[in-house]
Structures are given as C-alpha cells and as structure tokens.
Amino acid sequence: MSPGTGSSQGSGLTTQFLLPKDAVDTHVHVFDPKLGPYAAGRAYTPEDAPLKKLIAFNKSLSADSQNTKLVLVQPSPYKYDCSIMIQCLRMLRNRDSGAFGIAVLDLDTTTDAQLKEMHALGVRGIRLNFQADGKEVSTDRLVATLHQTAERIRYLPGWMIQVFVPGWSWDDLHDVILHLPVKVIADHLGGMLGPTRLSTDLQSAPTSQPGFKSLLSLARNSQVIVKISGLYRMSTDISSNFEDLQPIIQKFAQEIPDQIIWGSDWPHTGDGHDRVNGSLEVKEPFRVLDNLAILEKLHGWMGSNVYDRMLVKNPGRIYFD
C-alpha cells in the first residue's frame, strides 16, 4: 500500500465524495532522499514518499481523469533547503499540472532576488512550523518571526504566512495577525483539538477551547484561512475517522465557509511529541488513513455547497487568482 493511501472498499462510497474537477489539495509533502539529503539537525527521518507516489495518491482521490491541483509544503526534515520542493514544482509544471509551493526559509540569508525567483516558480508563501520538534512554543519568538516574515513578503503578490501552532496561541496572536500586511493560513484546523485530546472540562464543548473564538474572529475579518487537514493530529478517535472533530469542523463550515480550504496532509507523518528523543537512523513510518472515508465525513458534516467551496472556489481564489 502506498504511504497514507488507505481504502474505502465496501463502504458504499460514490464519486460524489471524490475530489471534483479543479479541486486543490493544499497540503502535501515530498520526501525523496534521491533528489537531495535531509538536514543534519532535523527532528526525524521519514520514510520515502517521492513525487510519483504523491501523483498516484492524488489520482486515487480524483473523480476527474486528470489529477487535481497541488500545493507542495516544505517539510521540516529538509529545514531551509527548498531545492527538492523546487525540483518537484518544475516537474509538475512540465506535466501541465497546477502546482504551487509554500517554502520554509532562513530570511536572514535569503535575498529578495531569490524570493522573486521562487515566486516565478509558483511559491506563494512561507511556513512557520512551531510543532514539528515537539517542544514548547514561545509566543514572543513567534510574534517576532511573524513580523519579520510579513515585512519580507508583503511586496510579493499573493504571498501568505502559513503557521502550525497550538490552538491556544490564537488568543495571544489575535491582535498581531489582525494588523499584519499579509494573510495567514492556519494549518491543521488551526490546532483545535477534538474532545479525545481535550481536558475533561472541555470535552463536552470543544468550540469553547482556548483560541477558538480568536481564530474565528480572524477568519471573519478575512485575515486568516483555516485549513481542514491533519485530523489525525487533532484527534485520537481513529476508529470513527475522527468523528469527535465534527462540532469544530461544522462550526467552521457554518461561520467561515469562504475562509476554509482542504489538505490531505499526505503522506501522513507521525506526531512531533514522539520525536524529542528519537533516532535519526530509524525511518519514521507514515500512518495509513482512509482518506476517502474522511472526505465522506467532511461532505456529510458540511453539505455539498460548502464542501465544493472548500475544495474548489476558496483555494482557487487564494492560490490561483
């Protein structure tokens, strides 16, 4: 089985739950040591997930005979070396596939000319991942990095800051992000946890968890786009395909239907909390998920109109306009 592909045989799924024409998978990674080495100081070593497997996975979810569009996100094992992502963007464009990228960069050593070159190749933003190493998040450091990043990319058309932070962080970041000169993409439900990962006092009201109201406020002000992705990172309810996230996702669908996008998060890497004492000599296996069943859940929770907006209209406006 390909990394993270999963199967829905026997579940009665029809093509209405597959990705429609012009859908965009806004969060995928490529791990290919044949194209270039991982960073020496990385948090983990993943299994191989080359571009050809990504294309096969995408095709398995696509209702149309052509693959849907992709946004490649720089994965943390490569740190600031985006050369592998750039190679893959070139290969996808040579196939006439719609593809964009989100980079991870050391802005102290990256020139404006290099940023413009990446823009020409389809890069549309910079990712700040404060979750990959499993360590505590420093709000002061995050705020400083947000300001620095926004100042460097504000003149690049369509560029955004993509962040992966704990859900509570939005309370601390609300006023900062509200006044940033660029839009922000909130990775993986904005870090909002399902009841299976919440403290007992919040399990019956997951939309009351810290940060939730602030995240909705920023999205209503069109300053943040929430990515419906990484459900397995926010819930332990594997047997039901993460059904405990329903109230959170339905709230997003009801309150901010034009500010949500979807990402498969292929190839479903492990959890940063397991990496602090891990060995880089051992390849971390990918999780196997039933991606079609997850799409079915999302369709049922949102309804066809919002589901299609999430997959086609919203990412088309955000990445491709």
Side-chain angles (χ1 to χ4, degrees), residues 301-321:
W301 295 342
M302 296 179 173
S304 295
N305 181 275
V306 177
Y307 182 78
D308 287 343
R309 273 196 264 182
M310 175 183 71
L311 293 175
V312 180
K313 182 180 178 181
N314 296 345
R317 179 189 78 243
I318 292 163
Y319 294 96
F320 291 83
D321 278 358

Side-chain angles (χ1 to χ4, degrees), residues 46 94 116 119 131 138 161 206 216-217 223 268 277 317:
N94 288 339
K116 290 177 181 177
H119 177 83
Q131 294 280 67
S138 165
I161 302 175
L216 276 183
S217 170
Q223 191 62 16
H268 314 315
N277 299 311
R317 179 189 78 243

Side-chain angles (χ1 to χ4, degrees), residues 130-191:
F130 282 75
Q131 294 280 67
D133 59 9
K135 298 177 182 178
E136 291 296 320
V137 176
S138 165
T139 300
D140 290 343
R141 178 182 164 216
L142 179 51
V143 168
T145 306
L146 280 169
H147 281 304
Q148 179 195 22
T149 305
E151 283 304 310
R152 286 297 303 276
I153 69 173
R154 64 186 300 177
Y155 304 107
L156 293 163
W159 276 50
M160 301 161 284
I161 302 175
Q162 182 168 308
V163 298
F164 184 26
V165 294
W168 54 262
S169 301
W170 300 104
D171 287 336
D172 295 337
L173 299 176
H174 181 276
D175 292 349
V176 173
I177 290 176
L178 190 63
H179 297 101
L180 282 181
V182 299
K183 306 296 184 188
V184 170
I185 297 174
D187 267 353
H188 307 322
L189 305 180

Side-chain angles (χ1 to χ4, degrees), residues 231-232 235 237-238 240-246 289 294 301:
L231 275 60
Y232 62 94
S235 165
D237 193 7
I238 299 172
S240 73
N241 289 304
F242 317 109
E243 193 160 334
D244 67 322
L245 291 169
Q246 179 177 352
L289 302 180
I294 291 172
W301 295 342

Side-chain angles (χ1 to χ4, degrees), residues 236-257:
T236 62
D237 193 7
I238 299 172
S239 61
S240 73
N241 289 304
F242 317 109
E243 193 160 334
D244 67 322
L245 291 169
Q246 179 177 352
I248 292 171
I249 293 174
Q250 281 188 323
K251 191 71 170 178
F252 288 147
Q254 293 161 2
E255 298 285 339
I256 52 169

Side-chain angles (χ1 to χ4, degrees), residues 2 6 26 47 54 78 85-86 90 104 112 141 152 168 193 205 212 221 239 246-247 254 268 272 284 295 321:
S2 298
T26 69
E47 290 185 346
L54 168 58
Y78 289 110
M85 184 185 75
I86 294 298
R90 287 197 176 104
V104 175
D112 289 341
R141 178 182 164 216
R152 286 297 303 276
W168 54 262
L193 302 175
F212 195 90
N221 280 281
S239 61
Q246 179 177 352
Q254 293 161 2
H268 314 315
E284 182 179 283
L295 286 172
D321 278 358

Side-chain angles (χ1 to χ4, degrees), residues 43-72:
Y44 70 104
T45 301
E47 290 185 346
D48 295 355
L51 182 61
K52 65 179 181 180
K53 287 190 176 181
L54 168 58
I55 292 171
F57 166 75
N58 183 244
K59 194 174 184 66
S60 75
L61 295 184
S62 303
D64 191 75
S65 59
Q66 299 296 317
N67 288 54
T68 54
K69 301 169 184 177
L70 298 169
V71 179
L72 303 184

